[in-house]
Amino acid sequence: MPLPLIPLPHLVEPGGDPFRLLAGARLAGVPEVVAALLRERTGLSLDGCGAGLLEFRLAAGGAPESYRLEVDATGVRVVAADEAGLFYAGCTLEQLLAEDPEGWILPAVVIEDAPRFGYRGAMLDVARHFFDVTTVKRFIDQLARLKLNVLHLHLTDDHGWRIEIASRPHLTARGSGSEAGGGAGGYFTQADYVEIVGYAAGRCVTIVPEIDLPGHTHAIGLAYPDLAEQPVLDAYLRAQIEALDGVLPVAGEPFTGLGVGFSSLRIGHEPSYDFVADVLGELAGITPGPYLHIGGDECLGTPPAAFADFLRRVTAMVERLGKTPIAWHEAGAAPGLAPGTVGQYWGFLSPDELAAGCAQRLVAAGSRLVLSPSDAAYLDMRHPEDPSGQDWANGPTSLRRSYCWEPSELIPGVGETDILGIEAPLWTEFVRTPAQVDALVFPRLAAIAEIAWSAPAGAPGRNWSEFRQRVAGLAASWRAQGIGFTAVREVEWP
Ligand code: ACM
């Protein structure tokens, strides 16, 4: 059996006798967050009163986030390039822990490791259904342990506005009390958000907040009716909504349905830009990370020229705030975006002309892309063995389909250096509980994490048949963490 490591490290050389981890082992230079992981998993005090040494230290010169880990019968030695490297070495150690009748062992091994892509993300949609700070922190723990380093929070949508904006208090007072399918909703105060950002930073995770504009903005109209267009209900949108659930949006009333694309901010209206400046300005002030995501998807209710004008102005605004804008790939239809705007591709593994064209135009204008092919990386698509959930992205998404794709071959003309990274979004139209989050996210997030971190397919061990075995090897750790993963049939779970 291969060692149960996901994502697969760059180099793994198994060695001789294992290290037996005992209660008295001494931790030297081990970050507290790693010590907590090891203590939590083993139940051992690791108080330095007995035998064995786990020694972590920094050394200049390595690639960002890289580390070297050596385990032999005497102990563990880690050398890392930075704090992230130390943390990831600890995550690797936790995956290596194995239990035998006498306690805990770490197999002897030398690992050298560094990520392929710098942006490795997951997204949680807290707008369709709201998830509280505790649930978000748990999600951060889960993704960080797979060496993902971005949590994209989809904070606003037609169904609700989920972040306090002090200068625009009606957003949360009037725009946060609903959810898809109905429900109480909720929102993060700025203090909650700051707490999430800090918790994430402690696990080397950057928060990317998204304010979805200029579409997906029905909730803004509940708060500030003057800023929102009437819902666009042309024949196409009526037919789309009829086919979904028949719930039509009504201006000024909370939206609980499944339709998309009908809402728009009033684009030719200067107060809309004052509003966006207030929202993005406050958000930038509490977001230490480099990115602000401004949405830009599915603006079917916004005329194309107005859409382009809006994106041009708003990406420039984000740049003036000292942040890098990210927008969904539809932004590729808009000329004149702020240079450096990142595009997020959410088309299929076999891109249609429209999606590929948008992505290619972004790259031609100098943008890099985050890849979230919806039929591989959208975690809300149902598993083949589970009848509940979404399947619009090319039917259900198997673990194998999540795993077997190559980023640099996804979109013609978009190569390795055009790709900033990979992200797996979890949309929550049908997701209400942490248990539902677990069941959709696991095991497929492991596949996406490996694509984002590990060498391309073909490197030793980087293939589907070995991945299936390594995933099975993580089941014990996931169970210990209380993760209710879906036991997909493609894997022989222990
Ligand atoms: C999207 O799925 N509308 C980005």
Side-chain angles (χ1 to χ4, degrees):
M1 279 289 275
L3 293 172
L5 296 173
I6 293 181
L8 180 70
H10 185 67
L11 179 108
V12 182
E13 276 178 9
D17 291 338
F19 173 60
R20 183 159 294 282
L21 185 63
L22 300 171
R26 187 157 73 86
L27 305 183
V30 177
E32 188 42 47
V33 64
V34 171
L37 273 186
L38 300 177
R39 289 197 180 100
E40 192 183 300
R41 180 73 199 287
T42 61
L44 298 172
S45 57
L46 308 177
D47 56 11
C49 298
L53 174 64
L54 288 78
E55 189 179 20
F56 281 40
R57 68 182 172 87
L58 291 171
E65 306 182 281
S66 66
Y67 66 92
R68 182 176 202 277
L69 164 71
E70 244 182 81
V71 183
D72 63 22
T74 67
V76 173
R77 286 166 297 282
V78 166
V79 180
D82 50 23
E83 294 294 330
L86 293 178
F87 176 63
Y88 294 139
C91 295
T92 297
L93 264 190
E94 193 275 334
Q95 290 186 348
L96 286 171
L97 278 167
E99 215 171 357
D100 73 4
E102 286 155 56
W104 291 95
I105 52 171
L106 287 161
V109 71
V110 174
I111 290 175
E112 287 180 7
D113 207 6
R116 177 178 178 189
F117 295 113
Y119 183 117
R120 306 179 301 279
M123 189 203 84
L124 184 62
D125 169 9
V126 294
R128 270 47 176 272
H129 283 101
F130 181 65
F131 293 89
D132 63 11
V133 173
T134 303
T135 305
V136 174
K137 285 181 172 175
R138 184 166 180 272
F139 193 52
I140 290 169
D141 279 331
Q142 294 173 349
L143 67 95
R145 286 166 79 155
L146 290 168
K147 302 187 176 77
L148 298 174
N149 63 356
V150 169
L151 173 61
H152 166 184
L153 284 175
H154 184 76
L155 289 168
T156 67
D157 213 299
D158 294 316
H159 306 80
W161 184 279
R162 309 296 182 208
I163 179 74
E164 175 190 17
I165 300 296
S167 60
R168 301 285 178 161
H170 296 338
L171 286 169
T172 44
R174 299 180 187 166
S176 71
S178 182
E179 294 180 307
Y187 67 92
F188 299 126
T189 63
Q190 291 198 7
D192 291 336
Y193 179 82
V194 167
E195 185 179 334
I196 289 169
V197 165
Y199 188 84
R203 286 143 189 84
C204 305
V205 171
T206 297
I207 299 296
V208 173
E210 179 184 354
I211 304 295
D212 204 348
L213 299 166
H216 290 272
T217 42
H218 185 83
I220 296 174
L222 305 188
Y224 298 103
D226 175 53
L227 300 178
E229 297 288 356
Q230 290 293 311
V232 174
L233 288 169
D234 59 18
Y236 171 80
L237 279 159
R238 277 182 189 277
Q240 180 233 79
I241 289 173
E242 202 46 55
L244 286 165
D245 61 358
V247 179
L248 292 171
V250 178
E253 290 180 16
F255 180 64
T256 60
L258 295 173
V260 290
F262 56 81
S263 55
S264 184
L265 218 54
R266 287 180 63 199
I267 284 183
H269 182 59
E270 277 313 300
S272 296
Y273 296 92
D274 299 338
F275 168 83
V276 174
D278 285 349
V279 168
L280 296 181
E282 282 192 40
L283 198 55
I286 53 174
T287 300
Y291 302 110
L292 290 188
H293 201 308
I294 54 159
D297 58 322
E298 299 178 308
C299 297
L300 309 179
T302 313
F307 174 75
D309 196 39
F310 180 84
L311 279 208
R312 187 180 49 73
R313 287 185 66 174
V314 173
T315 56
M317 199 184 280
V318 171
E319 200 182 42
R320 282 196 300 277
L321 290 166
K323 302 291 183 190
T324 299
I326 306 185
W328 297 103
H329 69 233
E330 287 94 325
L337 301 180
T341 297
V342 172
Q344 185 165 7
Y345 173 81
W346 63 281
F348 285 1
L349 289 169
S350 298
D352 62 28
E353 249 175 65
L354 196 65
C358 281
Q360 288 158 345
R361 272 194 297 280
L362 282 163
V363 166
S367 288
R368 296 180 80 202
L369 301 182
V370 171
L371 301 180
S372 303
S374 47
D375 49 352
Y378 269 28
L379 298 166
D380 52 312
M381 294 302 127
R382 70 181 183 84
H383 296 282
E385 37 281 281
D386 185 348
S388 60
Q390 302 267 41
D391 63 4
W392 60 260
N394 226 352
T397 297
S398 64
L399 180 62
R400 183 173 188 151
R401 194 161 82 196
S402 286
Y403 185 75
C404 294
W405 60 281
E406 166 47 39
S408 65
E409 291 168 7
L410 186 61
I411 304 164
V414 175
E416 184 85 7
T417 55
D418 303 317
I419 300 168
L420 181 66
I422 312 294
E423 183 184 294
L426 180 69
W427 302 98
T428 60
E429 283 92 337
F430 295 107
V431 186
R432 290 176 178 269
T433 66
Q436 288 172 317
V437 172
D438 282 6
L440 286 163
V441 168
F442 286 92
R444 290 180 298 197
L445 190 62
I448 300 302
E450 183 143 319
I451 289 174
W453 177 282
S454 306
R462 178 68 168 84
N463 57 63
W464 167 244
S465 71
E466 197 194 282
F467 176 78
R468 289 173 63 232
Q469 296 177 56
R470 287 186 280 113
V471 173
L474 281 190
S477 172
W478 288 352
R479 289 186 184 119
Q481 291 173 57
I483 294 174
F485 61 89
T486 295
V488 298
R489 283 191 293 265
E490 301 155 278
V491 173
E492 287 172 38
W493 300 99

